[in-house]
Amino acid sequence: MSETTDKKPAKPVVLTCAQPTGRLHLGNYLGAVLNWGRMQDDHECYFGIVDQHAITVPTVPAQLRENTYSCLAQYVACGLDPARSRLFVQSHVLGHTELAWVLGCLCPLGQLERMTQFKDKSRKQQSVDAGLLFYPVLMAADILLYNADLVPVGDDQKQHLELARDLAEKFNHRYSETFKLPAPFISKVGSRIMSLQDPTAKMSKSDPNQAGTVYVTDRPDEIRKKVMSSVTDSGAEVRAADDKPGIRNLLTIMAGCTGRDVAVLEAEFAGKGYGDFKKAVADAVVATLDPVRLRYDELIKDREELARILKAGAESAQATAFRTLSKVHRKVGFVERPR
Ligand code: AMP
């Protein structure tokens, strides 16, 4: 019989962690954050801004601090609701690194050295710090600390989630049943958004051609300019065909912004030219992102409000984290902390 000291949550627990790396783009919004927002009613959501992960590669301290506030303000502006979810900064919650240590003591070095992301990232650096190698163990701790059922992950993080499951199983086997095995969450809705300048490449903040990337904080004139100058395909038909990756991408974007089906949009624009269509796409993106930008502009100036959100999120996450940690410490044989 498995031991449970936590009350079974009524809703499945979802954990999402994102590094405070700067601005969110339309791909992040339509492909990820919008869906996270939709999960808040029927899931117990933890949204962590993982600053401890961020320092596994060289960072500028002042920039990391600003990016952390900015990331929080963008998430709230995009619909992550501090009243319904726990929005927190990783370094504010004691337990992430402590649990990572315990899990690290169950993790073969070779398994970490074989991680694809470690190999990729370390190849790009002259010298590699232990933190980069240990990154997936910290991620496992992020997940297991809250006993998450579901973790929305992109392709690049699937291997890390596998490690979290391995470590959970190992801990359960060595000590006794403690952790649930977290499952990847692949959303049924949510789309892959491509660059407006190269519809064969994913929209990305690291794209050297920034005209292809729409940010959630872009002003309406910037959005219109980027959409109107997007690369389209030969022909004149508005159809989501394989030989029309540019138009297909714009249809996906418009469908994501309006909640309407691509087929319905194709019918609506039958016989109309690319110009009219692009204008409608630009209107739809502006209508979606304008409220996000306005809310972001308010929030980013209101440090007191951001601090309040972080305090509430950290306190709530901390309560769960302490429960897990004290259970783990007891199981591994640490003497109970004097109160
Ligand atoms: P990243 O910015 O790569 O850390 O990704 C953060 C989240 O946004 C992940 O869930 C990604 O899968 C998602 N994402 C990033 N770029 C895109 C894109 N172009 N289209 C759809 N989803 C994306």
Side-chain angles (χ1 to χ4, degrees):
M1 191 64 195
S2 70
E3 184 184 338
T4 47
T5 53
D6 302 335
K7 276 192 218 111
K8 194 170 169 27
K11 301 172 181 177
V13 176
V14 174
L15 177 112
T16 304
C17 285
Q19 287 197 38
T21 44
R23 296 197 293 164
L24 296 176
H25 54 70
L26 189 61
N28 298 134
Y29 181 73
L30 294 178
V33 186
L34 192 60
N35 289 322
W36 303 343
R38 288 181 181 136
M39 297 178 89
Q40 295 179 111
D41 284 332
D42 41 13
H43 296 80
E44 192 177 318
C45 294
Y46 289 82
F47 299 117
I49 300 174
V50 288
D51 51 355
Q52 291 168 326
H53 283 281
I55 61 165
T56 55
V57 291
T59 38
V60 178
Q63 204 170 35
L64 175 61
R65 201 167 291 121
E66 272 319 296
N67 282 352
T68 302
Y69 281 120
S70 171
C71 183
L72 174 68
Q74 287 175 76
Y75 280 136
V76 175
C78 286
L80 304 190
D81 178 4
R84 286 185 292 160
S85 301
R86 295 164 173 90
L87 276 114
F88 64 92
V89 169
Q90 185 183 31
S91 64
H92 291 178
V93 181
L94 303 180
H96 289 256
T97 49
E98 284 79 358
L99 181 57
W101 180 256
V102 174
L103 297 174
C105 294
L106 295 171
C107 185
L109 181 61
Q111 201 171 357
L112 296 182
E113 285 168 337
R114 284 194 298 275
M115 289 283 150
T116 313
Q117 204 176 77
F118 171 70
K119 288 196 281 189
D120 284 351
K121 284 191 181 174
S122 52
R123 221 176 277 133
K124 289 178 197 154
Q125 289 178 42
Q126 276 188 328
S127 77
V128 177
D129 296 323
L132 192 63
L133 182 73
F134 212 66
Y135 177 116
V137 181
L138 182 57
M139 182 171 153
D142 300 337
I143 297 166
L144 301 181
L145 197 57
Y146 303 106
N147 245 324
D149 295 284
L150 296 170
V151 184
V153 278
D155 284 346
D156 55 338
Q157 294 290 339
K158 275 194 189 138
Q159 198 183 27
H160 292 166
L161 185 60
E162 269 310 309
L163 180 79
R165 290 169 61 91
D166 279 358
L167 293 177
E169 266 186 315
K170 253 192 187 162
F171 188 98
N172 291 349
H173 182 72
R174 181 169 303 181
Y175 297 107
S176 69
E177 198 70 21
T178 305
F179 295 116
K180 290 187 269 189
L181 301 191
F185 175 79
I186 315 285
S187 167
K188 285 188 211 79
V189 282
S191 14
R192 198 171 141 88
I193 305 300
M194 312 309 279
S195 160
L196 295 180
Q197 289 297 316
D198 175 5
T200 61
K202 251 173 82 163
M203 184 177 284
S204 161
K205 60 181 165 271
S206 49
D207 189 342
N209 187 353
Q210 286 291 291
T213 306
V214 171
Y215 290 97
V216 298
T217 51
D218 277 351
R219 291 187 317 273
D221 56 324
E222 293 171 301
I223 295 174
R224 285 184 202 286
K225 194 166 158 203
K226 288 178 186 175
V227 174
M228 293 312 287
S229 52
S230 62
V231 168
T232 43
D233 319 285
S234 55
E237 254 184 297
V238 176
R239 247 182 342 106
D242 283 347
D243 61 344
K244 287 178 167 274
I247 292 297
R248 190 176 53 200
N249 188 36
L250 291 178
L251 278 164
T252 308
I253 290 172
M254 187 159 180
C257 288
T258 59
R260 299 166 71 202
D261 283 344
V262 166
V264 172
L265 297 172
E266 283 175 329
E268 183 175 323
F269 288 95
K272 296 189 184 147
Y274 285 171
D276 285 349
F277 172 58
K278 280 182 170 179
K279 198 171 161 304
V281 175
D283 286 344
V285 178
V286 168
T288 300
L289 294 186
D290 216 31
V292 172
R293 179 182 57 87
L294 293 172
R295 181 77 182 113
Y296 171 80
D297 285 348
E298 267 171 27
L299 271 171
I300 197 64
K301 286 185 278 199
D302 192 349
R303 290 295 155 105
E304 278 182 24
E305 174 62 7
L306 293 178
R308 261 196 303 277
I309 293 171
L310 288 182
K311 185 165 186 282
E315 281 173 359
S316 180
Q318 188 67 74
T320 313
F322 272 150
R323 275 202 302 277
T324 306
L325 199 63
S326 66
K327 187 162 50 169
V328 165
H329 280 184
R330 185 164 45 78
K331 291 197 180 198
V332 300
F334 293 169
V335 168
E336 194 182 349
R337 196 179 194 167
R339 287 166 206 261

